[in-house]
Amino acid sequence: MASAFIHINGQNFISTLHRSNHRRPSGGPIRVTMAQKSSYWTSINDDIDAHLRRVIPIREPFSVFEPMHHLTFAAPETTAPALCIAACELVGGRRELAIAAASALHLMHAASYFHEHIPLTDQPRANSRPRPGPTFGPNIELLTGDGMIPFGLELLAKSNNQDDDDEHSDRILQVIIELTRAIGSQGVVNRQYIKAQCDESNPGVGKAGSTRIVTDKKGSELHACGAACGAILGGGKEKEIEKLRKYGFYAGTIQKMSKLEEAVKNREVIEEMRRLALKELEYFDEEKVEPISSFINV
Amino acid sequence: MASAFIHINGQNFISTLHRSNHRRPSGGPIRVTMAQKSSYWTSINDDIDAHLRRVIPIREPFSVFEPMHHLTFAAPETTAPALCIAACELVGGRRELAIAAASALHLMHAASYFHEHIPLTDQPRANSRPRPGPTFGPNIELLTGDGMIPFGLELLAKSNNQDDDDEHSDRILQVIIELTRAIGSQGVVNRQYIKAQCDESNPGVGKAGSTRIVTDKKGSELHACGAACGAILGGGKEKEIEKLRKYGFYAGTIQKMSKLEEAVKNREVIEEMRRLALKELEYFDEEKVEPISSFINV
């Protein structure tokens, strides 16, 4: 396997690190191999994909499982589930322990996406929210979205039997609290409200400022939640969970900001986010942080 | 307190019981006092109501909690949460153990109700689904419904700390599986699909046959789930849980059928349901079944 070593973030990051006096204990920058980075995330994504295809096959009743299956895989990509697995592995947990939570995160993301794009009768034409790609119609997408989140949580709650560890059921409950809070009153819904209000006050605003910032925050929180859930399921200590939650928040923000049109303009902010994210990883064994740290090397 | 003794179901039920050879071991019909029946369910409903008002106050962010609070109490009545508490008490559990699950059941019911009445752009005018009472608009009701179910599950998962019993977290996980299955792929969503299909194939059909049967089944399953959840949280044995699940199914069907216009015409079916329901209760201590058995005395 080819192993071309690179420095994460390049010179800008290193100089920021020097200025703010946050050097890694060993003094050197984190290094990952390009091939290692790519194959690590590919292998995680393949495992999540295979798990989702196994637990949501096209089966009877077709009226339920056909749209659920197709909408599961039609949702735009999110990297929060992969981060959940990587956090689990960083604290020493096996991948299987976090696969159900990662799948639940994907289903939450997909359900939220389809509900955000349901055309409602109270929306002016300029502000309607049709989404790209084939659709099953608003009615089916509303009902499928309603089913996807409980289905993801059901699979997670059922995953309790896969481990002999007595503490595992407590950890799953803790993760259910994390996920339901992220999607419920405190998290995504709150963001969606703000988004809806931005949309309403600026009909036809499309991709403009305020809406985009709200969307970013939602993505950041889903990544923070995913990393925390992975750390919990992997048996991480309280401090490890909180460090990874913060890493997830910064990492999610970096992912989103890097994809925006004005990414070049935001270069300094992104570098600062990256610095803060890597600072959270300093708490962990340097050898082990390489895979997860490559997440923010976008 | 006045205590006018009555026979449940009257003569018809007793004669059915004789014919099918399913007599209670003691030979006599179950008896409850009218006042006892009334005060028992009132006290349960008051406790659920107080719990919901405590956990869903109108607080910041108001854009989230004001509609969530109002919609929680604007949903039409369902008796599944009360049945959950009664089942818990029948198997010897304290009421507090089931109050979070009962509240989650109410939130599930409310969310499902509001989503069923969201006006979508793909619905012909004859088949639009406006609901009675004040509304917050389709957008807010869609998002609030999305938040209510995870919020209910979050409160349930958090209720783990209220008991020192080591088995309690396993029981909560079991209940989360029950609830998510009921609302997810296997349960309510499936019913909603069928309902949506009935509506689509019979636009403007309103309260006609097939749609009504589907709605009944949904109510029955929510009651079955509620009774099973109460039995699990109260520490019931496997057989007790399954008996109460069946009792809940029959009880939910009776509740629904009794409210229909053709209830008089369905008298015989209702009596048969009642017979089957009471048969499930024969497994329990006769003295203890009085409160829960009064549920089907509609």
Side-chain angles (χ1 to χ4, degrees):
Chain A
M1 186 183 285
S3 59
F5 282 88
I6 57 156
H7 289 169
I8 279 197
N9 313 323
Q11 192 55 40
N12 278 351
F13 165 63
I14 301 299
S15 58
T16 315
L17 209 62
H18 272 256
R19 277 201 304 278
S20 56
N21 227 3
H22 289 305
R23 297 194 63 169
R24 292 191 59 74
S26 65
I30 301 167
R31 297 186 305 179
V32 289
T33 70
M34 286 293 269
Q36 189 184 43
K37 175 199 164 188
S38 165
S39 68
Y40 182 67
W41 297 107
T42 303
S43 109
I44 287 182
N45 285 326
D46 286 352
D47 284 351
I48 295 171
D49 191 80
H51 185 79
L52 282 167
R53 285 183 196 280
R54 194 168 56 75
V55 295
I56 313 179
I58 299 176
R59 62 172 167 92
E60 289 192 1
F62 293 115
S63 59
V64 174
F65 281 101
E66 201 165 348
M68 196 184 277
H69 179 91
H70 288 302
L71 292 178
T72 296
F73 298 103
E77 193 198 353
T78 170
T79 43
L83 195 58
C84 173
I85 301 275
C88 173
E89 293 188 330
L90 173 59
V91 299
R94 288 179 290 110
R95 187 169 293 189
E96 309 88 85
L97 293 173
I99 201 92
S103 301
L105 274 161
H106 179 84
L107 290 168
M108 282 164 53
H109 157 75
S112 167
Y113 173 78
F114 293 116
H115 275 195
E116 278 174 32
H117 289 82
I118 284 174
L120 302 168
T121 54
D122 68 337
Q123 297 191 319
R125 187 178 295 270
N127 196 31
S128 68
R129 7 183 199 187
R131 63 172 181 82
T135 70
F136 289 87
N139 203 5
I140 296 297
E141 293 188 7
L142 170 67
L143 298 172
T144 304
D146 281 352
M148 283 167 114
I149 295 172
F151 189 54
L153 293 171
E154 181 189 344
L155 295 171
L156 174 61
K158 277 181 181 170
S159 71
N160 188 29
N161 295 330
Q162 70 178 202
D163 204 81
D164 296 324
D165 184 351
D166 278 348
E167 293 173 84
H168 198 60
S169 60
D170 280 336
R171 286 177 189 154
I172 289 179
L173 269 182
Q174 212 181 329
V175 166
I176 288 172
I177 295 172
E178 293 280 347
L179 293 176
T180 49
R181 191 186 288 149
I183 197 82
S185 58
Q186 298 302 311
V188 177
V189 168
N190 189 10
R191 299 289 88 72
Q192 286 178 326
Y193 267 89
I194 301 165
K195 183 176 182 304
Q197 284 163 353
C198 292
D199 288 348
E200 275 159 21
S201 58
N202 301 298
V205 73
K207 289 183 176 176
S210 56
T211 306
R212 188 174 295 157
I213 290 163
V214 172
T215 312
D216 290 347
K217 204 173 170 198
K218 189 179 110 184
S220 309
E221 285 180 2
L222 201 66
H223 282 79
C225 171
C229 289
I232 292 166
L233 291 167
K237 301 187 205 88
E238 190 56 33
K239 195 153 187 180
E240 292 175 317
I241 296 164
E242 293 316 312
K243 291 270 175 198
L244 282 167
R245 186 194 303 281
K246 285 183 191 161
Y247 177 77
F249 188 88
Y250 297 130
T253 310
I254 292 166
Q255 285 277 340
K256 278 277 183 185
M257 288 185 86
S258 307
K259 287 174 191 156
L260 298 179
E261 284 157 26
E262 62 267 35
V264 179
K265 222 166 56 187
N266 289 331
R267 197 71 212 160
E268 267 189 49
V269 183
I270 293 174
E271 288 304 331
E272 176 63 11
M273 287 275 172
R274 200 173 259 146
R275 185 187 68 74
L276 293 167
L278 289 175
K279 189 167 171 288
E280 299 297 333
L281 295 186
E282 287 176 8
Y283 181 77
F284 299 88
D285 181 352
E286 186 175 0
E287 290 305 306
K288 291 184 181 162
V289 299
E290 288 192 6
I292 202 170
S293 70
S294 69
F295 189 88
I296 54 171
N297 194 25
V298 287
Chain B
M1 185 183 285
S3 59
F5 282 87
I6 57 157
H7 288 170
I8 279 195
N9 312 323
Q11 192 55 40
N12 278 351
F13 165 63
I14 301 300
S15 58
T16 314
L17 208 63
H18 272 257
R19 277 200 305 277
S20 55
N21 226 5
H22 289 305
R23 296 194 63 167
R24 292 189 58 73
S26 63
I30 300 167
R31 296 186 306 179
V32 289
T33 69
M34 287 293 268
Q36 189 183 43
K37 176 199 164 189
S38 166
S39 67
Y40 182 67
W41 297 107
T42 304
S43 108
I44 286 182
N45 285 327
D46 287 351
D47 284 351
I48 296 171
D49 191 78
H51 185 79
L52 283 168
R53 284 183 196 281
R54 194 167 57 76
V55 295
I56 313 179
I58 299 177
R59 64 174 166 91
E60 289 193 3
F62 292 117
S63 58
V64 174
F65 282 101
E66 199 164 349
M68 195 182 280
H69 179 91
H70 289 301
L71 293 177
T72 297
F73 298 103
E77 193 196 354
T78 170
T79 43
L83 194 59
C84 173
I85 302 275
C88 174
E89 293 188 330
L90 173 59
V91 299
R94 287 179 291 110
R95 187 169 293 189
E96 308 87 85
L97 293 173
I99 201 93
S103 300
L105 274 162
H106 178 85
L107 290 168
M108 281 164 53
H109 158 75
S112 167
Y113 173 78
F114 292 116
H115 275 195
E116 278 174 32
H117 289 83
I118 284 173
L120 302 168
T121 53
D122 68 338
Q123 298 192 319
R125 186 179 295 272
N127 197 32
S128 67
R129 5 182 200 188
R131 64 172 182 83
T135 71
F136 288 86
N139 204 3
I140 297 296
E141 293 188 6
L142 170 67
L143 298 172
T144 304
D146 281 352
M148 283 167 113
I149 294 172
F151 189 55
L153 293 171
E154 180 189 344
L155 295 171
L156 174 61
K158 278 181 181 168
S159 71
N160 188 30
N161 295 331
Q162 72 177 200
D163 204 79
D164 296 324
D165 185 351
D166 277 349
E167 292 174 85
H168 198 60
S169 61
D170 281 337
R171 285 176 188 154
I172 289 179
L173 269 183
Q174 212 180 329
V175 166
I176 288 172
I177 296 172
E178 293 280 347
L179 293 175
T180 49
R181 191 186 287 148
I183 197 82
S185 58
Q186 298 301 313
V188 178
V189 168
N190 189 11
R191 300 287 87 73
Q192 286 178 326
Y193 268 88
I194 300 164
K195 183 176 182 303
Q197 284 164 351
C198 292
D199 288 347
E200 274 158 22
S201 58
N202 302 296
V205 72
K207 289 182 176 179
S210 56
T211 305
R212 189 173 295 157
I213 290 163
V214 171
T215 312
D216 289 348
K217 204 172 170 198
K218 188 179 111 184
S220 309
E221 284 179 4
L222 202 66
H223 282 79
C225 171
C229 289
I232 292 165
L233 291 167
K237 300 187 207 88
E238 190 56 36
K239 194 154 188 179
E240 292 175 317
I241 295 164
E242 293 317 312
K243 291 270 174 198
L244 281 166
R245 187 194 304 280
K246 285 183 191 160
Y247 178 76
F249 188 88
Y250 297 129
T253 310
I254 293 166
Q255 286 276 341
K256 279 278 183 184
M257 288 185 85
S258 306
K259 286 173 191 157
L260 298 179
E261 282 158 27
E262 62 267 38
V264 179
K265 219 165 59 186
N266 288 332
R267 197 69 211 160
E268 265 188 50
V269 183
I270 293 173
E271 288 304 332
E272 178 62 11
M273 287 276 171
R274 199 173 259 146
R275 185 187 67 73
L276 292 166
L278 290 174
K279 188 168 172 287
E280 299 299 333
L281 294 186
E282 287 175 10
Y283 181 77
F284 299 89
D285 181 353
E286 187 176 0
E287 289 306 306
K288 290 183 182 163
V289 299
E290 289 193 6
I292 203 170
S293 70
S294 68
F295 189 87
I296 55 171
N297 194 24
V298 286

